[in-house]
């Protein structure tokens, strides 16, 4: 296989030499250009695997070159070289489609990490398509979900921070895992953290690590979650719950790509991609003074909004089938028989608003599987609010009998050390319709 080729565009000869030498040590060839016009000519003469371009050029800007590449070479990753501290330009470049950025003076470690990620994206490593069977599913054939999957595929091709919004239970972590699994960092770790679950006085230690003796209880050096996610993705869920002092350090970690452990004298570089999420409106949190505006601007480079389940009711039935199949596989007693929804139960789910979204659907079905008789799930087994069930079971007079039978089956299953689902499967295999009281 031929050596990878990079196009490097900068009007400073020293920068060009530094990058060319660094790439050479990585076994990457380089062609250079001093202007936008020269860069366009090099693109026609060669087929580079990535492009590194300065933002300020004599005959235009790196953004001009980025737009040209997006139009004529859409699969070519482009990284921006920006002036130190000029994060507004870096953010604007990533919003326009840049793969990543590196600040002057160029940190060679950060440059090498960037180049390696870009080359993996270009297929110099295992292609994404060969790993799709290990990716988590994001189910649904509604237009909304088709659009979400297409956007996730695009987001996986960039290192820009992504902010995922949506109500609780819509699958924000699942979307983050998909972005990670389809991108060049897929061989690195995916580290999820719920910011709201960390005690406020331990947030900085958990995120950035600490040195021995830096506070009471710090008995040894400890790496933080940033270090644990090195080479991969750090998913910060419920970011709005992060206290303001930690927000300051998080902003610096994202901008400078380095962290300072609590009690440490110096910062250490970290190579992570940040994906964050919250079910709360961060813009409103900024207005109320509970979230830093500069951090919001930095993490919200690209926003991915996940629709509520009630916005895509056509996905409810296929989701239910998938969940029921998963519950059957998880049963301690394997069986070929899977629980299934009656027409009336499926219709009731379609009418329900699902304030808890997909997570609530999973809970409803898991409860229904545990409480229903046989494999067919009826409306009453769902235990939806009465107005949603339209009194289907109440009018029949059978609800009390069914509930009593359910309790008896549950008690018997517990006595045998089995799950209710496994107990019912055992009854079905033995040809027993129900368990009778002594």
């Amino acid at each position: 296989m031929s050596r990878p080729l990079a196009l490097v565009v900068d009007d400073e000869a020293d920068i060009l030499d530094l990058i060319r030498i660094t790439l050479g040590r990585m076994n990457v060839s380089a062609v250079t250009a001093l202007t936008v016009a020269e860069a366009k000519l090099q693109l026609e003469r060669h087929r580079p695997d990535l492009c590194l371009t300065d933002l300020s050029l004599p005959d235009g800007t790196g953004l001009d070159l980025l737009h040209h590449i997006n139009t004529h070479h859409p699969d070519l990753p482009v990284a921006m070289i920006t002036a130190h501290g000029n994060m507004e330009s870096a953010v604007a470049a990533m919003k326009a489609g840049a793969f990543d950025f590196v600040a002057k003076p160029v940190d060679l470690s950060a440059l090498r990490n960037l180049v390696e990620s870009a080359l993996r994206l270009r297929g110099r490593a295992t292609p994404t398509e060969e790993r799709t069977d290990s990716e988590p599913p994001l189910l649904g054939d509604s237009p909304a979900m088709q659009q979400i999957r297409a956007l996730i595929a695009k987001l996986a091709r960039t290192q820009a921070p992504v902010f995922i919004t949506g109500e609780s239970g819509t699958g924000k972590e699942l979307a983050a895992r998909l972005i990670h699994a389809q991108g060049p960092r897929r061989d690195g770790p995916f580290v999820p953290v719920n910011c709201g679950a960390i005690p406020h006085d331990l947030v900085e230690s958990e995120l950035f690590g600490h040195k021995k003796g830096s506070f009471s209880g710090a008995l040894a050096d400890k790496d933080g979650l940033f270090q644990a996610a090195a080479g991969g993705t750090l998913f910060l869920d419920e970011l709005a719950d992060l206290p303001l002092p930690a927000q300051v350090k998080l902003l610096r970690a994202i901008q400078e790509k380095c962290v300072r452990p609590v009690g440490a004298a110096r910062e250490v570089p970290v190579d992570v991609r940040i994906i964050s999420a919250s079910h709360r409106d961060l813009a409103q949190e900024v207005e109320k003074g509970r979230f830093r505006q500069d951090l919001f601007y930095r993490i919200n480079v690209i926003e991915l909004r996940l629709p509520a389940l009630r916005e895509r009711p056509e996905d409810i039935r296929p989701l239910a089938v998938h969940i029921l199949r998963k519950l059957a596989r998880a049963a301690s007693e394997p069986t070929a028989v899977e629980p299934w929804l009656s027409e009336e139960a499926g219709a009731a789910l379609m009418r329900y608003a699902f304030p808890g979204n997909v997570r609530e659907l999973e809970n409803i079905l898991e409860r229904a599987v545990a409480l229903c008789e046989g494999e067919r799930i009826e409306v009453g087994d769902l235990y939806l609010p009465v107005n949603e069930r339209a009194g289907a079971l109440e009018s029949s007079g059978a609800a009390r009998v069914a509930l009593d039978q359910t309790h008896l089956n549950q008690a018997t299953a517990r006595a045998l050390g089995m799950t209710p689902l496994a107990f019912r499967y055992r009854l079905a295999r033995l040809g027993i319709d129900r368990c009778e009281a002594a």
Side-chain angles (χ1 to χ4, degrees):
M1 179 183 293
S2 61
R3 295 175 64 181
L5 178 66
L7 169 61
V8 186
V9 188
D10 200 300
D11 60 346
E12 296 183 50
D14 291 345
I15 295 292
L16 290 179
D17 289 341
L18 174 65
I19 295 178
R20 185 167 46 218
I21 292 171
T22 303
L23 293 176
R25 290 172 177 169
M26 297 177 66
N27 202 32
V28 177
S29 302
V31 293
T32 61
L34 299 172
T35 65
V36 173
E38 285 184 28
K40 291 179 179 179
L41 288 175
Q42 294 285 35
L43 286 168
E44 297 304 319
R45 293 171 182 166
H46 306 279
R47 292 182 177 271
D49 294 292
L50 71 149
C51 174
L52 297 166
T53 177
D54 192 14
L55 187 63
S56 178
L57 296 167
D59 58 344
T61 69
L63 290 176
D64 297 331
L65 180 58
L66 174 62
H67 293 314
H68 175 81
I69 291 175
N70 285 343
T71 301
H72 300 282
H73 310 275
D75 294 331
L76 179 63
V78 181
M80 286 290 170
I81 305 171
T82 65
H84 180 73
N86 190 4
M87 289 308 303
E88 291 78 9
S89 298
V91 170
M94 287 191 289
K95 283 182 179 290
F99 170 76
D100 205 344
F101 75 95
V102 61
K104 294 180 179 179
V106 176
D107 181 280
L108 298 185
S109 175
L111 176 64
R112 285 191 288 268
N113 290 331
L114 183 155
V115 171
E116 288 172 357
S117 294
L119 293 179
R120 286 196 296 268
L121 186 65
R122 288 289 285 176
R124 294 291 187 169
T126 307
T128 299
E129 290 75 14
E130 296 180 9
R131 301 175 59 92
T132 53
D133 57 349
S134 65
E135 297 170 6
L138 193 62
L139 300 177
D141 292 325
S142 63
M145 292 312 295
Q146 292 180 29
Q147 184 177 10
I148 289 294
R149 284 194 293 268
L151 183 55
I152 283 175
K154 291 182 180 179
L155 296 180
R157 294 183 57 80
T158 175
Q159 297 298 290
V162 176
F163 180 59
I164 305 176
T165 63
E167 298 177 4
S168 294
T170 49
K172 295 186 287 293
E173 181 176 335
L174 181 56
R177 287 183 180 277
L178 274 172
I179 294 172
H180 170 80
Q182 295 181 14
R185 293 177 175 268
R186 57 187 175 268
D187 292 324
F190 177 89
V191 179
V193 53
N194 187 328
C195 297
I198 307 175
H200 282 198
D201 56 345
L202 294 178
V203 167
E204 293 187 19
S205 170
E206 288 297 312
L207 289 180
F208 312 117
H210 65 250
K211 304 298 288 183
K212 178 181 178 181
S214 57
F215 57 87
S216 177
L219 303 179
D221 290 355
K222 176 188 174 183
D223 285 341
L225 293 168
F226 266 84
Q227 292 95 320
T233 301
L234 180 62
F235 175 56
L236 299 173
D237 199 7
E238 299 304 342
L239 188 66
D241 293 331
L242 205 63
L244 285 170
Q247 293 179 26
V248 177
K249 294 194 70 172
L250 175 60
L251 176 63
R252 178 167 180 80
I254 296 174
Q255 291 186 164
E256 305 300 329
K257 299 185 178 181
C258 58
V259 298
R260 177 176 292 176
V262 177
R266 62 183 62 184
E267 294 179 325
V268 294
V270 289
D271 171 36
V272 299
R273 183 183 188 177
I274 299 293
I275 301 178
S276 55
S278 177
H279 73 281
R280 284 151 60 182
D281 188 328
L282 279 192
Q284 291 184 5
E285 296 297 304
V286 170
E287 292 179 2
K288 296 174 182 177
R290 294 197 290 252
F291 199 85
R292 293 182 61 95
Q293 185 175 30
D294 47 5
L295 178 58
F296 173 67
Y297 177 69
R298 188 66 188 86
I299 59 99
N300 195 29
V301 173
I302 303 174
E303 182 174 316
L304 174 65
R305 179 188 175 274
L306 296 183
L309 189 54
R310 61 182 172 276
E311 297 175 36
R312 50 186 187 103
E314 61 267 50
D315 291 335
I316 291 176
R317 285 183 184 270
L319 277 169
V321 170
H322 171 76
I323 293 168
L324 291 173
R325 186 171 296 135
K326 182 174 65 174
L327 290 172
R329 288 198 300 265
S332 59
E333 186 80 10
T335 178
V337 181
E338 294 180 358
W340 53 281
L341 292 169
S342 69
E343 285 297 320
E344 295 78 9
L349 290 177
M350 294 280 287
R351 291 193 301 268
Y352 185 50
F354 285 103
N357 294 292
V358 179
R359 186 181 297 125
E360 184 182 9
L361 174 61
E362 291 176 339
N363 292 340
I364 287 173
L365 292 175
E366 186 171 7
R367 181 178 61 211
V369 166
L371 298 179
C372 75
E373 290 302 315
E375 282 69 47
R376 187 170 75 170
I377 298 174
E378 301 290 358
V379 177
D381 299 319
L382 300 173
Y383 284 86
L384 298 175
V386 174
N387 60 331
E388 298 294 341
R389 291 186 288 164
L393 272 185
E394 288 77 359
S395 62
S396 70
R400 182 69 254 177
V401 175
L403 189 58
D404 288 342
Q405 182 61 47
T406 293
H407 289 164
L408 179 58
N409 281 0
Q410 286 183 305
T412 307
R414 283 195 299 269
L416 294 174
M418 302 170 64
T419 66
L421 178 58
F423 177 65
R424 287 199 312 280
Y425 285 158
R426 176 61 64 85
L427 291 180
R429 292 177 65 183
L430 294 175
I432 301 174
D433 187 40
R434 66 179 62 192
C435 178
E436 301 293 345

